[in-house]
């Protein structure tokens, strides 16, 4: 589908990661200017356009830095139409059952996965409203929907809270033409899942348990995200798009 976008500029949080970088690249290729933000240094393979980009290395769990980021986006491009929140952490080994987890780890995961979204909304939403509205897409996880025998309770709880927060923002700002939706990815090959990177055997093993027969790709997630940002989704707000190859439809 040749997607149409009324907006001109996007802020992509987590743009140094697997999904965020793919989304930023795809938006740039569609001619949208992108302010890319991540705690990681700038990746090498950012396309030269047709959209313009600026990359900000920043800690988005920190309010002064999210405020500064939005100032940079406005200074570079004069407006913000789209906010994409892909940043997040999943800490294998440290994030565990609620009865065993170190409370500092719990707080840190909540700060990065949830409070950062609050900080970004506080700074960016008023600017999107000044532009007459736009769209937000937040990345949760299918992990938000069910319990797990190998629990990562801070991650799951933060991702579940994100769904509710998005619905609330969708209702608050619908009258201002600002949409808010959530993508729930299934297992996807990105730096977050580094443990599978050089393990084609494990990738096939997991793929075989997924109805559509493979792990997700960053392109699968970017395609879903760009659709939700685009004008083709202009009557979609406050909802969740599960992109998981059919995992959650299994009995
Ligand atoms: N990969 C998967 O299997 C999977 C599955 C379900 C949901 N998700 C979710 O999708 C989103 C994108 O994940 P991904 O797979 O691309 O992971 P990723 O690790 O490649 O990208 C996440 C990015 O967030 C950045 N980040 C973390 N803390 C930050 C901070 N304080 N400030 C700024 N940036 C920070 C990281 O540096 C990283 O580049 C995440 O929210 C993740 O929880 C991923």
């Amino acid at each position: 589908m040749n997607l149409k976008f009324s907006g001109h500029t996007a802020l992509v949080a987590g743009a140094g990661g697997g999904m965020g970088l793919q989304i930023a690249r795809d938006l740039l290729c569609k001619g949208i200017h992108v302010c890319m933000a991540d705690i990681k240094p700038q990746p090498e393979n950012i396309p030269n356009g047709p959209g313009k980009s600026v990359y900000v290395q920043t800690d988005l769990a920190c309010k002064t830095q999210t405020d500064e980021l939005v100032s940079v986006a406005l200074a570079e491009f004069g407006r913000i139409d789209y906010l994409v929140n892909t940043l997040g952490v999943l800490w294998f080994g440290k994030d565990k059952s609620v009865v065993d987890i170190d409370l500092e780890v719990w707080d840190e995961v909540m700060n990065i996965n949830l409070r950062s979204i609050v900080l970004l909304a506080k700074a960016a939403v008023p600017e999107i409203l000044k532009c007459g509205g736009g769209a937000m897409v937040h990345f949760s996880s299918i992990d938000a929907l069910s319990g797990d025998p190998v629990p990562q309770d801070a991650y799951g709880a933060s991702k579940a809270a994100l769904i509710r927060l998005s619905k609330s923002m969708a209702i608050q700002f619908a009258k201002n033409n600002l949409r808010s939706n959530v993508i729930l990815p299934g297992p996807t090959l990105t730096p977050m899942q580094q443990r599978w990177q050089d393990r084609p055997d494990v990738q096939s093993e997991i793929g075989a348990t997924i109805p559509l027969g493979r792990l997700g790709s960053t392109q699968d997630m970017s395609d879903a995200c760009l659709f939700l940002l685009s004008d083709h989704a202009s009557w979609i707000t406050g909802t969740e798009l599960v992109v998981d190859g059919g995992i959650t439809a299994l009995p």
Side-chain angles (χ1 to χ4, degrees), residues 103-148:
L103 285 178
E104 280 177 19
V105 171
W106 176 273
D107 289 344
E108 233 179 312
V109 172
M110 288 292 165
N111 280 342
I112 297 168
N113 287 5
L114 186 61
R115 189 167 175 274
S116 66
I117 312 300
V118 176
L119 298 179
L120 283 158
K122 271 185 174 295
V125 165
E127 301 303 330
I128 303 176
L129 296 182
K130 281 182 204 163
C131 298
M136 299 186 277
V137 173
H138 319 279
F139 277 74
S140 173
S141 168
I142 56 168
D143 198 45
L145 301 178
S146 54
D148 195 328

Side-chain angles (χ1 to χ4, degrees), residues 20-43:
L21 181 56
Q22 185 67 53
I23 291 162
R25 280 194 196 126
D26 290 348
L27 287 170
L28 288 167
C29 291
K30 299 264 178 214
I32 291 170
H33 305 321
V34 184
C35 180
M36 305 170 65
D38 202 292
I39 203 163
K40 281 186 193 164
Q42 178 170 339

Side-chain angles (χ1 to χ4, degrees), residues 17-19 38-39 59-60 86 140 155 159 185 188 190 192-193:
M19 298 183 197
D38 202 292
I39 203 163
D59 180 355
L60 295 171
T86 67
S140 173
Y155 183 81
K159 293 298 186 183
T188 306
T190 69
M192 183 173 275
Q193 304 288 13

Side-chain angles (χ1 to χ4, degrees), residues 187-220:
T188 306
L189 215 48
T190 69
M192 183 173 275
Q193 304 288 13
Q194 191 63 40
R195 63 206 167 126
W196 303 330
Q197 207 65 46
D198 301 319
R199 300 289 310 276
D201 53 325
V202 177
Q203 291 175 30
S204 317
E205 220 172 274
I206 302 168
T209 67
I210 297 174
L212 285 176
R214 62 169 175 86
L215 288 171
S217 68
T218 57
Q219 194 63 62
D220 293 322

